[in-house]
Amino acid sequence: MFSLFSFLASAEHHKEKQRTMSQSKQEKLLELELICPICQRLYLDPVCLPCGHNYCLACIQNAADVASAQTFGNHCPECREEYGGMDKLQKNVKLRGIVEDYKATVDEMSEPTDVICDHCLDTETPAIKTCLKCEMSLCARHLHRHSERESFQNHTLVHPQKLSLTGCAVHGRLPEYFCSSDSTALCGSCLLEGSHHNHDVLTVDAAEEEMRQALESRCKEVANRLQMAETLLQKAAEEQIPSNSVGDKMSKSVALMDKMVGLVHCYQDRIKLLQEEEINQQKESWQSGLELLQAQQQQLKEAHQSTTEVLAVTDKVKFIHGFLMVEPKFRKVVKGTMATTPNKAPINTKRLLANLKIDDFKTEMVQLLHELNISLNFLELTFNIDTAHPSLLLSNDRQTVKYSSSKQAYADNPERFSTVPQILCSQGFTSGEHTWVLEMGEHSMWSVGICYNSLPRKGDHSRLGRNFVSWRLQWKNKKLMACHASSSVVLTEIINQPLRVEVTLDYERGTLVFHSTKGHREHLHTFRATFREPVYPAFGIHSTTAESWITLQSGM
C-alpha cells in the first residue's frame, strides 16, 4: 500500500486544476525547445551549427576543446555532422530574443517562491515546476529529463509549491478517512458528498494500522534479503577471487594436472633411486663371487705346483716326506666346493614394490584424476524456486538457499513443498555419472540427497528419506544419519560436522556416494539402489539460525 503522504500530495491536483489547464501543450513544447541539449538549461548566447542545431556558446566551445584534445575533429554532439571550427559558427540572435522573452514571461507569471529542486543535492537550485505524481519539485534541467520519459507524460505539473500533509484536497480539513479505491485522504464532508460511495473507505486509524503492518512485513522481507546479501558477500570475501568464470575453472584443472605431473616426477625419482640401490647391490654380489673364484684359483695353482714338485722327487724317502706335506692341502683343495661364475641376482620385486609404495601412488593418482574429472565436467546446478518451501529464501543466482523467519510470497504451485523446508534442483539425471559440491553454514542442520519427482510435497511422507523415492544424508543434533524408506542409520564414526560435501551419482551402477571435502577428504556414506526414474538433487534445512544456508558450488 502506498504511503499516506503520496495520497495526500496527489490531492493537490484538485487545487491546481484550473492553473494546470491554462498551461497549453504548446507552452510545454516551447519550454523544451529553449533548453540547450548539453547543459540542459535555457540557452545562453546561443549559436547555430551548419547542420541547424543550436547550443550555448560556452557549451559548444567546451565540447570543441575536448574533441580537439583527443584529435577527433569538430562534430555536432547530436547528428555528428562535422563543422569547420568555432569561427564558422554564427550567433542565433532570433533564438536569444525568444529565450529572453520567455524568461520575462515566466518571471512575470511566477510568484516569488522559496521552493528548490529536490534533485539538486549539491546546490539549492530554484524549482520551476512541481510534479504532483512524483511529489518532487524540479528545476529547468531536471524538468527536461522528467519530460523526456514517456511514462511520465501523464504526470500533473503545477507551479512550484511545497506539498502539505495537512487537510483534505477539497475542503482543507483534517483527514478522518482514507479511500483505498482512489488512494485519497477524506474529511467527513468528502464522505457525505457521496463521491466515494461503494469505495473501500477506512478510518485514518485503520488505514494507518494496515499500512504499518504492510510496511513491517516488507521490512522483515528486506531484512532477510539484506542478511542473505551479507552472507554472500562474506563468502565472496573468504573466497577472495570469484570462481564462476571458465578461465578460473580451467586454471584449477591445470593446477590439478600440475599436481599429477609432480606426483609422477616424485615417483619417477624414487624409482631411479631404488634402481641405483638395486644395481649397487648386484655389483657388490658380483664382485664378491668374483673374488671368491679368484681365491680358489690361487689355491689350486699353489696345490698343483706343490704336487708337481713332489712328483719330480726320485728319492723314495724324500718323496714320502713330500707327499705327507702336500697331501692335506691337496685333499682340501680337491674335496672343497668348486666356485662358479658370478651370476646377476634377480630383482627383488617385493622389496622394490614395498619401498616404492605403489599403492600410495595409485591412491593419490586416482584421487587427482577424480578431482580433474569433476573440474572439467562441473555441473551448473540451480535451485528450483517452484519447489521451494515458503520458509526458504533464494539468492538471485538461485545457487544459495537460506532459512527465513518470514514466509515468502511464492506463487501457488503443486510442485512446492508445504510441510518441510525442502527444495529441489531444476536439473535432473536419467543416466551417466555426475558430481556436485555444496557448502553449508556452520552450526546449521541440513539434509542432502536425491529423489524422484514423484516425491510427495506435503505430509510426513514428503520428508526426504521417509519414503521409497528419496535418499537422504542428514546432519542434525550433531549426528550424521543416512535415511531411505523410513529406515535411518546413525553414522557414529563421523565426529566433525561436514561443511563441504561432494555428492557423486552413478545412475547405471546405482550408487550415491557422499564425501566430506573440507580439509582432508573423508568418505561419509554410500547408497546402493536401482534407479528407475529421473532423479533430482534434493535439500532440506532444519535449523533456524542465521547460518542456516546451503550453497551450490558451480565448480571445484
Side-chain angles (χ1 to χ4, degrees), residues 172-244:
R173 297 177 183 174
L174 190 67
E176 301 176 53
Y177 305 95
F178 178 76
C179 177
S180 299
S181 303
D182 292 340
S183 301
T184 306
L186 311 173
C187 66
S189 299
C190 295
L191 197 62
L192 292 174
E193 288 176 356
S195 58
H196 297 274
H197 182 62
N198 293 330
H199 288 191
D200 184 11
V201 178
L202 304 173
T203 64
V204 170
D205 292 339
E208 187 268 346
E209 182 179 358
E210 187 175 311
M211 293 177 184
R212 186 175 297 277
Q213 290 177 353
L215 191 60
E216 287 176 350
S217 176
R218 285 176 171 81
C219 184
K220 288 182 180 179
E221 184 177 348
V222 170
N224 287 329
R225 292 183 178 274
L226 175 61
Q227 196 174 56
M228 168 74 79
E230 291 174 346
T231 300
L232 295 175
L233 284 172
Q234 183 178 358
K235 282 175 56 59
E238 292 173 354
E239 293 177 359
Q240 293 184 350
I241 301 175
S243 59
N244 60 345

Side-chain angles (χ1 to χ4, degrees), residues 310 312-324:
V310 172
V313 175
T314 57
D315 186 274
K316 296 180 178 180
V317 176
K318 290 183 177 180
F319 175 79
I320 294 173
H321 177 73
F323 175 80
L324 293 175

Side-chain angles (χ1 to χ4, degrees), residues 365-428:
M365 185 59 71
V366 167
Q367 174 60 27
L368 288 173
L369 285 170
H370 177 69
E371 293 183 14
L372 180 62
N373 179 58
I374 295 175
S375 178
L376 293 175
N377 298 281
F378 52 85
L379 290 172
E380 293 288 353
L381 295 181
T382 54
F383 290 114
N384 184 353
I385 193 172
D386 290 336
T387 66
H389 185 276
S391 294
L392 298 180
L393 176 65
L394 269 68
S395 60
N396 291 334
D397 62 2
R398 304 290 171 85
Q399 289 190 325
T400 295
V401 61
K402 181 181 182 297
Y403 180 84
S404 171
S405 57
S406 61
K407 302 294 184 183
Q408 303 303 304
Y410 293 139
D412 292 337
N413 194 304
E415 298 294 312
R416 191 174 311 287
F417 289 100
S418 58
T419 302
V420 195
Q422 296 179 165
I423 189 171
L424 306 183
C425 277
S426 299
Q427 297 77 14

Side-chain angles (χ1 to χ4, degrees), residues 519-538:
H520 69 282
R521 183 180 177 83
E522 181 181 10
H523 175 257
L524 301 179
H525 186 69
T526 297
F527 285 105
R528 300 186 184 279
T530 301
F531 302 120
R532 305 182 187 280
E533 300 178 27
V535 294
Y536 294 82

